Amino acid sequence: MKKAISEVVNNRSSVNAAAKKYDIPEPTLRRYLKKGGRTRELEEHEFPVNAGRYKKTFSTGQIEELKQYIVDIDRRAFRLTKSQFGRLCFDFAESKGITHKFNKEKRAAGRDFIEAFMKESKLILRKPDATSVARLMMFNKINVGKFFDVLKDLRIAHSFQAANIYNADETGFSAVPTRTPKVISPIENRRVIKLKSAERGTTVTSVCTISAAGNFVPPFFIFPRKRMNLSFMVGAPPGLEGVSHESGWMTAEKFINYLHHFAKFAHPRKDNPVLLIMDNHASHVNLEAIQYCRDNFIFLLELPAHTSHKLQPLDVAFYSPLKNAYNSCCDDFMVNNPGSTISIRELASIAGKAYLHVANARTAIKAFEATGIEPFNQAIFNEEDFAPAQTIDMPIETVESDTFPTSADPQVIRSTDIPSELVENVTVSTSADSQAITSTDTPSELVVTVSTSAEPQPTSSGLPPLPTARTNTSRRPRKKLPSMHLTNTPVKEALVERKMEKDEKEEKRKQRLMNKDKKNQNTKKLKKVAQQKRKEQCVKYSPHLTIQIQLKCNT
């Protein structure tokens, strides 16, 4: 009110403009101007004491406190809906003993208050992306820093250019799209429907590959069939390759087939090696694939577990527009072919059209830039990006150590360039305060101290404590693969050793089964001989007892 009156008195603004600018009813502003006069000093004007029905429920400090709580909880990935925020405001006012006009039956603030608060605090409603607890926990400074360190060493050692840095990842195309576009319908319709192919459709796995220079490798499709049919590829874009597998998923065998497909378009050579960045799926870590990459000058770099939503260029900038384009192409097919359904034979053609629609150099270049891979930017992520990791009640601290932990050392998680799943001597210890996995046969590694935090303490401000996601300490944690250079010698040697141990165990298992079969066969022979002897003894008895004795022998 003071600012509005000051602008009108000093002829910097009209009454209408000042009322609109400061969100004051125009009659109210004119009344106070008339009461005080336009020529009087600002301090001499009489201002309202209680603001009447426009009195705010919370003070300026309390509003800032609420806004800061929203910001903090937003960083922790526990964003509130409008109804949740309404209940929060009601509880906040009740705990502070503030007189309010909120709905006491619903125990929540009204829509007008929420919208006014959002407008004043510059908050908006947005649709969030669902993110698992594992992704929140694993995307931290430790894992991201490890990835960039390995990437930096590889780029310095082999001088990879943008055209030689690739990212590949699997995605799925379903015959039944998960999203339907908005349609035009009469306003009186209570329910609007849209025809789709079926209730549940066949899903085909596709491997997409992009380079930091904006180049694209044609997709590699895996159809869920035992035998490959050439009709699956009718209408597919040039260069697209398809194989079949009973499950339709990526396996170690199909990954090798993909590497052959990739090498045809990437053209890796001794004087022109390429870097292929992928997630740490189990099918990527196998001896045959690594040996093929070593022989063909392909360097495999794995992303840390559960970090692809931030570090993988395809996930960051390509797959979302690709899926939107695919859904639109499926809808166009249903409209242009009434009465038809999308089968596995049309899927490659439809997905190919969507792929050609979104596969442009600008998208690929921006995707690598957003992840800090090309151009190399190790500081691409700031503290706010790592803040959601605080939602986990297992705070992580990094400690560099070259020695093994003693009994007095804190429980630790150790990760090296060798996959943790290749290490056999792993011990797990759990207590009420902390939990850890310790690998005891690696000489030097990154040490991560893990401790379970206590119950959140209530705040003195009246607001609830910031939430944390609880981890299950009653079961053994699943081992995660760190970011590593898969084609280096230590990983290959570890895989060879692992394969030898696996083959040895398999040989022992087969030998046990053979011995068990022989033992069962000998037992059957002995039983048969014993039964034959009993029958021979039965014949020696007198004829009038032979039938009775034989019956007893048979039973």
Side-chain angles (χ1 to χ4, degrees):
M1 180 67 76
K2 287 184 178 181
K3 292 180 180 179
I5 293 176
S6 175
E7 289 195 6
V8 175
V9 169
N10 295 324
N11 297 324
R12 293 198 302 268
S13 179
S14 65
V15 177
N16 293 341
K20 187 175 182 180
K21 180 179 179 180
Y22 294 101
D23 196 18
I24 300 173
E26 182 186 348
T28 303
L29 181 58
R30 290 186 181 277
R31 185 172 72 252
Y32 279 94
L33 285 170
K34 184 178 179 181
K35 184 186 298 184
R38 289 176 176 267
T39 58
R40 296 175 59 184
E41 294 295 333
L42 186 62
E43 291 75 8
E44 299 178 8
H45 280 272
E46 297 179 3
F47 296 100
V49 177
N50 55 10
R53 61 191 178 95
Y54 295 100
K55 182 180 179 181
K56 293 184 177 181
T57 304
F58 300 115
S59 64
T60 304
Q62 291 167 344
I63 290 177
E64 287 296 325
E65 197 173 349
L66 276 172
K67 181 180 178 181
Q68 186 61 40
Y69 182 81
I70 295 297
V71 172
D72 292 340
I73 205 172
D74 178 83
R75 291 174 179 173
R76 287 173 167 250
F78 279 88
R79 295 167 174 88
L80 301 178
T81 62
K82 291 179 71 173
S83 59
Q84 291 170 344
F85 178 67
R87 292 192 293 269
L88 174 69
C89 293
F90 182 90
D91 295 338
F92 182 61
E94 288 287 324
S95 64
K96 289 287 188 179
I98 300 173
T99 304
H100 59 81
K101 297 181 180 180
F102 298 151
N103 192 325
K104 294 186 178 181
E105 293 182 0
K106 296 182 179 180
R107 298 185 61 82
R111 183 181 64 181
D112 293 340
F113 172 83
I114 296 174
E115 292 178 353
F117 180 88
M118 292 175 60
K119 182 178 180 180
E120 182 180 352
S121 303
K122 297 181 180 180
L123 303 173
I124 59 173
L125 283 177
R126 300 184 64 181
K127 185 177 181 180
D129 296 328
T131 307
S132 65
V133 175
R135 289 184 181 272
L136 298 181
M137 178 178 66
M138 297 303 292
F139 189 77
N140 52 61
K141 286 185 178 181
I142 302 168
N143 291 332
V144 176
K146 178 70 173 178
F147 167 73
F148 279 108
D149 289 342
V150 177
L151 177 62
K152 181 180 178 181
D153 295 340
L154 281 172
R155 297 196 62 168
I156 293 176
H158 303 282
S159 302
F160 290 113
Q161 301 299 320
N164 295 336
I165 301 176
Y166 290 85
N167 173 227
D169 186 36
E170 298 89 356
T171 188
F173 290 106
S174 175
V176 180
T178 56
R179 300 176 185 175
T180 55
K182 291 185 177 181
V183 296
I184 300 175
S185 177
I187 193 171
E188 63 268 13
N189 285 355
R190 297 182 62 184
R191 183 183 180 189
V192 180
I193 62 175
K194 178 72 175 178
L195 181 67
K196 66 177 183 179
S197 181
E199 292 294 333
R200 182 179 299 176
T202 304
T203 300
V204 175
T205 300
S206 173
V207 185
C208 299
T209 310
I210 62 176
S211 77
N215 301 321
F216 287 79
V217 174
F220 180 83
F221 275 40
I222 304 175
F223 295 93
R225 292 292 186 272
K226 288 185 177 181
R227 297 178 182 86
M228 185 62 187
N229 193 329
L230 294 179
S231 63
F232 298 162
M233 304 296 293
V234 175
L240 189 146
E241 184 174 341
V243 295
S244 63
H245 187 268
E246 186 174 2
S247 66
W249 299 340
M250 175 63 78
T251 62
E253 178 185 356
K254 301 307 175 185
F255 181 61
I256 297 175
N257 294 341
Y258 163 74
L259 289 175
H260 286 274
H261 172 73
F262 170 75
K264 287 193 303 184
F265 294 93
H267 305 293
R269 301 186 304 273
K270 184 176 181 179
D271 58 341
N272 187 40
V274 298
L275 174 64
L276 181 59
I277 302 174
M278 304 188 73
D279 59 23
N280 59 357
H281 192 267
S283 60
H284 306 161
V285 187
N286 67 86
L287 185 59
E288 292 78 10
I290 290 178
Q291 187 60 50
Y292 176 83
C293 291
R294 289 170 64 93
D295 295 339
N296 291 273
F297 312 104
I298 300 173
F299 292 82
L300 281 179
L301 175 60
E302 272 200 346
L303 294 169
H306 304 298
T307 59
S308 59
H309 63 298
K310 292 280 191 178
L311 290 176
Q312 183 148 254
L314 283 167
D315 282 344
V316 170
F318 184 72
Y319 277 152
S320 180
L322 176 63
K323 292 301 179 68
N324 292 335
Y326 174 73
N327 293 335
S328 299
C329 290
C330 287
D331 184 65
D332 293 342
F333 178 87
M334 296 297 296
V335 172
N336 297 328
N337 300 274
S340 300
T341 58
I342 301 175
S343 67
I344 193 173
R345 288 175 172 80
E346 291 85 19
L347 204 145
S349 175
I350 298 174
K353 291 180 182 179
Y355 185 86
L356 294 177
H357 181 72
V358 299
N360 57 78
R362 178 181 176 85
T363 301
I365 294 172
K366 289 294 183 181
F368 278 88
E369 182 180 347
T371 55
I373 297 176
E374 175 60 34
F376 184 80
N377 184 7
Q378 196 167 1
I380 189 69
F381 301 107
N382 53 31
E383 294 295 334
E384 291 186 2
D385 296 313
F386 299 121
Q390 299 177 9
T391 60
I392 312 302
D393 61 344
M394 296 176 65
I396 302 176
E397 301 176 0
T398 58
V399 180
E400 295 292 341
S401 174
D402 295 330
T403 60
F404 295 105
T406 62
S407 58
D409 291 334
Q411 297 175 346
V412 298
I413 294 178
R414 298 180 178 271
S415 61
T416 66
D417 282 342
I418 300 177
S420 58
E421 65 178 10
L422 304 179
V423 181
E424 290 297 327
N425 297 330
V426 178
T427 60
V428 178
S429 58
T430 306
S431 66
D433 297 328
S434 58
Q435 179 180 5
I437 305 175
T438 305
S439 169
T440 57
D441 57 354
T442 51
S444 62
E445 58 277 280
L446 182 69
V447 180
V448 183
T449 303
V450 176
S451 62
T452 305
S453 63
E455 291 293 328
Q457 298 297 326
T459 59
S460 58
S461 61
L463 293 170
L466 293 174
T468 57
R470 297 299 175 192
T471 54
N472 187 1
T473 58
S474 62
R475 64 179 179 87
R476 176 173 177 170
R478 185 179 178 182
K479 291 178 284 188
K480 305 290 191 303
L481 292 177
S483 177
M484 71 189 84
H485 174 205
L486 286 180
T487 50
N488 63 357
T489 302
V491 174
K492 180 189 173 183
E493 292 177 352
L495 286 173
V496 171
E497 182 180 354
R498 176 64 172 169
K499 188 175 184 302
M500 292 175 60
E501 293 177 357
K502 187 176 180 180
D503 294 342
E504 185 179 352
K505 289 181 180 179
E506 183 66 19
E507 188 65 28
K508 290 181 179 180
R509 188 184 70 85
K510 290 181 179 179
Q511 189 64 34
R512 287 196 303 269
L513 292 176
M514 290 177 61
N515 295 336
K516 187 176 181 180
D517 291 341
K518 288 181 180 180
K519 185 177 179 180
N520 292 338
Q521 291 176 3
N522 293 335
T523 303
K524 289 180 180 179
K525 288 181 180 180
L526 292 175
K527 287 183 178 180
K528 190 174 182 180
V529 171
Q531 187 177 7
Q532 184 66 27
K533 287 182 178 181
R534 287 197 301 270
K535 287 183 179 181
E536 291 175 358
Q537 291 176 0
C538 291
V539 176
K540 295 179 182 181
Y541 287 94
S542 59
H544 66 277
L545 296 176
T546 300
I547 297 175
Q548 298 180 3
I549 295 174
Q550 284 183 349
L551 290 173
K552 291 182 179 180
C553 291
N554 291 334
T555 57

